[in-house]
Amino acid sequence: MQTLAVISPITVVQPQGHLNAANAAEFRSKLTAAVTANPNAVVLVDMKQLDSMDSAGLMTLVSALKLAQGQNQRFSLCCLSPSIRIIFELTQLNKVFEIFETRSAFEATLQ
């Protein structure tokens, strides 16, 4: 469902397809591993290949953000489709998450 790549100091998680109640627990495990594996790494969730997301998927991202914040770790999102971006805007979570249009826009902030 998702791939995990470590590009020091960035850990990239790429969900694919649909993120919903059926696979949220698996995705939560991937995100937890990404956040806890290297406390010095920056975690980026690249959502370019994500087609849809429900409230369970959204809560998984919120939980991972809280975990990262508890470790003083940067946790960002990029490449949200318009249909997923609207979820963040309607819930006002776009004000809570650091969201970038592209991965290169995110990487530019690391320099």
Side-chain angles (χ1 to χ4, degrees):
M1 184 208 139
Q2 53 270 356
T3 57
L4 178 66
V6 178
I7 307 167
S8 186
I10 306 169
T11 300
V12 180
V13 180
Q14 294 180 289
Q16 299 173 357
H18 308 285
L19 179 54
N20 53 37
N23 57 20
E26 177 188 349
F27 187 59
R28 181 184 315 260
S29 295
K30 297 279 187 187
L31 286 177
T32 299
V35 171
T36 58
N38 182 357
N40 298 319
V42 173
V43 177
L44 175 66
V45 181
D46 183 339
M47 302 175 78
K48 178 174 42 180
Q49 297 178 17
L50 190 64
D51 298 325
S52 67
M53 180 174 63
D54 70 5
S55 60
L58 188 61
M59 290 311 301
T60 297
L61 289 170
V62 170
S63 295
L65 174 64
K66 287 182 179 180
L67 178 63
Q69 288 174 335
Q71 297 184 180
N72 294 319
Q73 190 172 14
R74 188 173 177 189
F75 185 92
S76 304
L77 310 175
C78 74
C79 305
L80 279 66
S81 69
S83 61
I84 292 176
R85 181 174 291 279
I86 195 77
I87 294 170
F88 283 86
E89 291 171 359
L90 290 172
T91 59
Q92 297 189 357
L93 287 171
N94 61 318
K95 298 175 183 175
V96 176
F97 283 90
E98 185 177 42
I99 300 174
F100 295 90
E101 290 295 319
T102 63
R103 190 186 290 197
S104 58
F106 166 78
E107 290 169 351
T109 67
L110 299 175
Q111 300 172 3

